[in-house]
Amino acid sequence: LTSMCRAGAIRTDDPCIVLKTLPCLVRMCSKDRLLEERVEGAETLAYLIETDVELQRMASITDHLIVMLADYFKYPSSVSAITDIKRLDHDLKHAHELRQAAFKLYASLGANDEDIRKKIIETENMMDRIVNGLSESSIKVRLAAVRCLHSLSRSVQQLRTSFQDHAVWKPLMKVLQNAPNEILVVASSTLCNLLLEFSPSKEPILESGAIELLCSLTQSENLALRVNGIWALMNMAFQAEQKIKSDILRGLSTEQLFQLLSDSDVNVLMKTLGLLRNLLSTRPHIDHIMSTHGKQIMQAVTLILEGEHNIEVKEQTLCILANIADGTTAKELIMTNDDILQKIKYYMSHSNAKLQLAAMFCISNLIWNEEEGSQERQDKLRDMGIVDILHKLSQSSDPNLCDK
């Protein structure tokens, strides 16, 4: 029934799933069942609720499941109780499987709901168990622990508190060294969350050599790893200080940046543009980066605006241009590049309003009256016919375009 439900043959709100399958699987997790049954129950339940938030909520309040799963970590049982060697052998063999199943189910339970994540983290010694799980000898347990961590790392609240108290980033960075790809993919996704600007782990992760590690991920043959590497760098560059931005650019190298901008996968391309946009923010940084990498960045921008790309990609690229236009000295790289100016003009008259707006941001950043050289820039744009386009756009039926 679980497989049929995941395959879309039975709806997730069908009574046979909600009233029969889910409660039955939860019962299989209880203490009085055989260990094999508890493993099977938890793994199947994890799969059943993995993508459905309603089922996650339902499971989390059925028979105290979250607390019940904590027992999965208590095998083998204490030494004094071990009188039966066979029993011990059996428990040891299943201890790994139990931990793996519990981590998997916790990962599914906490995938979407903030309250459930809080309950999981407040379960006895949960963070310690995850941290221990990250360095287990069994690769399956390690993978399941990383999955569980990834699920919990989606919580802003937990990133600021529990993750900080337990310095989760340390074992995570360790896991990222020489791990097989399946672990690397989940671990690097988790790292993306730990690098968001409000996460207190961001600083120590940077100091432990994350930039190098992430730059090497962007060169991976594995698409998911390339996406995660560039995504984490994008998060790292957001509102970062100039030194970090320079380190990222150095670590990536211009060739690699071009490589990523011509990647066949649109996710890689979008995240790379997002990285560029984050690098090119705040004036001194824009001017500094454009003074060292301006020529290459303008080349990249031209390449994308000329290529066959979707609206989102082109919009993001025009936003990068708008950021460059906000620089004090960087402006000149646009003003002295007739090809780029023609492209901005072209997108102002495009059929898509998003692209028109983004192109107008470029123009408005170039013409501020209080900035030096504004008169010359305005004259040049006027000669190009930009004012006529603006007149036309001020009659537009789109209120945003009109205002702008």
Side-chain angles (χ1 to χ4, degrees):
L1 286 167
T2 290
S3 296
M4 287 166 77
C5 179
R6 281 301 300 265
I10 306 176
R11 287 169 54 115
T12 52
D13 56 2
D14 188 298
C16 81
I17 295 295
V18 176
L19 303 174
K20 296 279 177 68
T21 312
L22 187 140
C24 169
L25 291 169
V26 173
R27 280 198 301 279
M28 285 174 73
C29 298
S30 72
K31 220 173 178 168
D32 51 1
R33 302 294 170 123
L34 290 171
L35 295 186
E36 292 87 335
E37 199 177 321
R38 293 170 74 184
V39 169
E40 191 67 35
E43 295 224 336
T44 311
L45 183 55
Y47 184 54
L48 174 67
I49 67 174
E50 190 177 18
T51 55
D52 189 281
V53 68
E54 280 315 311
L55 291 179
Q56 289 157 13
R57 288 183 183 137
M58 221 170 287
S60 73
I61 54 171
T62 305
D63 292 355
H64 306 292
L65 176 65
I66 291 177
V67 179
M68 187 153 60
L69 283 178
D71 279 334
Y72 278 48
F73 296 94
K74 296 182 179 161
Y75 286 87
S77 38
S78 67
V79 181
S80 57
I82 297 168
T83 45
D84 180 349
I85 289 296
K86 263 191 188 152
R87 170 81 203 197
L88 172 65
D89 201 42
H90 174 265
D91 279 10
L92 270 172
K93 194 168 127 262
H94 285 86
H96 279 158
E97 290 175 15
L98 282 163
R99 287 203 289 282
Q100 180 191 348
F103 280 140
K104 271 189 189 166
L105 184 44
Y106 276 139
S108 285
L109 282 164
N112 297 294
D113 188 292
E114 193 59 33
D115 293 336
I116 301 177
R117 288 185 200 126
K118 194 169 180 305
K119 277 187 198 147
I120 293 172
I121 284 184
E122 285 166 0
T123 308
E124 50 175 327
N125 308 333
M126 192 60 209
M127 287 311 275
D128 294 331
R129 286 184 173 139
I130 296 176
V131 168
N132 293 337
L134 292 175
S135 51
E136 285 233 10
S137 56
S138 154
I139 189 161
K140 286 182 169 166
V141 178
R142 276 210 309 277
L143 179 59
V146 174
R147 271 204 184 137
C148 182
L149 191 63
H150 179 231
S151 191
L152 299 174
S153 73
R154 294 184 179 133
S155 158
V156 175
Q157 183 55 35
Q158 302 310 334
L159 283 175
R160 285 193 169 134
T161 51
S162 319
F163 275 53
Q164 185 59 4
D165 301 341
H166 292 81
V168 169
W169 63 271
K170 277 186 191 160
L172 187 68
M173 287 297 285
K174 212 166 152 189
V175 166
L176 281 159
Q177 313 296 332
N178 315 319
N181 274 0
E182 52 178 344
I183 287 189
L184 263 182
V185 169
V186 191
S188 54
S189 287
T190 312
L191 196 61
C192 286
N193 293 343
L194 289 175
L195 285 168
L196 290 162
E197 98 271 18
F198 51 72
S199 162
S201 315
K202 185 173 173 176
E203 285 302 308
I205 292 174
L206 275 168
E207 283 156 22
S208 66
I211 291 180
E212 244 172 288
L213 174 89
L214 295 169
C215 289
S216 70
L217 286 185
T218 66
Q219 299 177 16
S220 169
E221 295 287 303
N222 180 306
L223 171 61
L225 288 178
R226 284 206 304 285
V227 171
N228 287 350
I230 197 73
W231 194 339
L233 287 169
M234 178 183 98
N235 287 351
M236 195 186 273
F238 183 70
Q239 294 184 351
E241 51 202 70
Q242 193 168 310
K243 183 189 177 307
I244 294 172
K245 292 181 176 180
S246 300
D247 287 349
I248 292 174
L249 271 170
R250 244 201 319 279
L252 258 187
S253 82
T254 324
E255 293 95 282
Q256 180 56 11
L257 199 59
F258 272 108
Q259 201 64 48
L260 291 163
L261 287 170
S262 51
D263 200 284
S264 57
D265 184 82
V266 71
N267 279 328
V268 174
L269 179 54
M270 279 298 279
K271 296 285 177 274
T272 310
L273 291 171
L275 168 65
L276 262 179
R277 196 173 164 180
N278 286 347
L279 290 171
L280 293 165
S281 62
T282 74
R283 266 195 192 157
H285 297 184
I286 297 170
D287 289 333
H288 175 74
I289 288 172
M290 293 308 285
S291 68
T292 49
H293 295 79
K295 198 171 149 217
Q296 296 95 325
I297 289 173
M298 293 305 276
Q299 249 175 322
V301 166
T302 310
L303 218 75
I304 290 174
L305 290 177
E306 281 173 357
E308 293 290 318
H309 293 290
N310 67 27
I311 299 291
E312 280 68 34
V313 167
K314 298 216 163 172
E315 181 190 18
Q316 189 75 290
T317 309
L318 286 167
C319 289
I320 290 171
L321 265 185
N323 283 12
I324 296 170
D326 193 35
T328 309
T329 53
K331 276 183 176 44
E332 283 314 302
L333 286 160
I334 296 178
M335 290 310 298
T336 52
N337 187 327
D338 287 340
D339 189 17
I340 285 281
L341 285 173
Q342 287 301 333
K343 286 188 172 50
I344 295 174
K345 179 181 172 181
Y346 165 77
Y347 284 108
M348 285 175 78
S349 308
H350 198 276
S351 55
N352 183 286
K354 278 183 174 173
L355 295 181
Q356 289 179 285
L357 268 175
M360 270 195 296
F361 268 110
C362 299
I363 297 294
S364 64
N365 280 346
L366 291 170
I367 58 176
W368 289 112
N369 275 329
E370 59 271 22
E371 289 175 2
E372 204 182 320
S374 62
Q375 205 46 60
E376 290 89 332
R377 287 194 293 276
Q378 289 178 16
D379 292 345
K380 181 165 185 179
L381 294 171
R382 197 176 276 113
D383 293 345
M384 279 177 61
I386 297 291
V387 178
D388 307 337
I389 301 177
L390 290 171
H391 276 304
K392 217 162 55 202
L393 287 172
S394 62
Q395 314 298 313
S396 164
S397 57
D398 183 311
N400 282 342
L401 282 176
C402 248
D403 289 353
K404 194 68 189 156

